[in-house]
Amino acid sequence: MIRRLDHVYYWVSDMDRAVTFYGDVVGLRLARREGPSWAMFEAGSDVRLALHGAVEGRPIETGGATAVFRVDDLDAARADLEVKGVRFDERVGEVEGYARFASFFDPDGNRVQIIEYASRDRGE
């Protein structure tokens, strides 16, 4: 039986660049690294974000799942990431009375989001 979400991973073409992005720019703690083929970050309580290095002869797959990170202040988090060179979609999405969110992209074009819930009891 399914117990819980363990991790989400993205394909990346340059592991060093991707590890720098998710560690230094996004601010996740690197938990494990296996050279150019795999890296795993702690992304909250028992959830991990992983990076899978490119496999020769196989194109990088982007556009699948989207990792969404909770923030307390969407505008402040977005401003902090933009100062670090992160490219965002222009639009900030909103589900009235529930949450606001913004999408950005990692160096390989994978979509990532930040979300701010309207109240602390939402999205738990």
Side-chain angles (χ1 to χ4, degrees), residues 54-72:
V55 175
E56 188 174 332
R58 181 176 179 176
I60 296 295
E61 300 172 22
T62 62
T66 301
V68 181
F69 295 97
R70 182 184 299 191
V71 297
D72 292 328

Side-chain angles (χ1 to χ4, degrees), residues 56-108:
E56 188 174 332
R58 181 176 179 176
I60 296 295
E61 300 172 22
T62 62
T66 301
V68 181
F69 295 97
R70 182 184 299 191
V71 297
D72 292 328
D73 183 332
L74 184 83
D75 299 320
R78 180 177 176 153
D80 180 63
L81 290 167
E82 285 176 329
V83 164
K84 296 174 182 174
V86 172
R87 178 178 56 95
F88 275 84
D89 274 351
E90 292 301 315
R91 181 178 80 80
V92 171
E94 182 170 5
V95 177
E96 187 66 36
Y98 184 70
R100 295 171 57 229
F101 54 91
S103 297
F104 61 96
F105 301 91
D106 76 5
D108 282 290

Side-chain angles (χ1 to χ4, degrees), residues 8-87:
V8 174
Y9 73 88
Y10 285 133
W11 288 94
V12 299
S13 61
D14 181 326
M15 186 60 73
D16 291 332
R17 178 181 70 181
V19 166
T20 296
F21 179 81
Y22 284 100
D24 295 348
V25 176
V26 176
L28 300 179
R29 188 183 71 76
L30 182 64
R32 181 178 175 189
R33 170 91 189 256
E34 293 180 25
S37 63
W38 187 258
M40 187 172 280
F41 292 88
E42 298 298 330
S45 177
D46 270 353
V47 177
R48 292 176 293 271
L49 176 75
L51 307 172
H52 195 304
V55 175
E56 188 174 332
R58 181 176 179 176
I60 296 295
E61 300 172 22
T62 62
T66 301
V68 181
F69 295 97
R70 182 184 299 191
V71 297
D72 292 328
D73 183 332
L74 184 83
D75 299 320
R78 180 177 176 153
D80 180 63
L81 290 167
E82 285 176 329
V83 164
K84 296 174 182 174
V86 172
R87 178 178 56 95

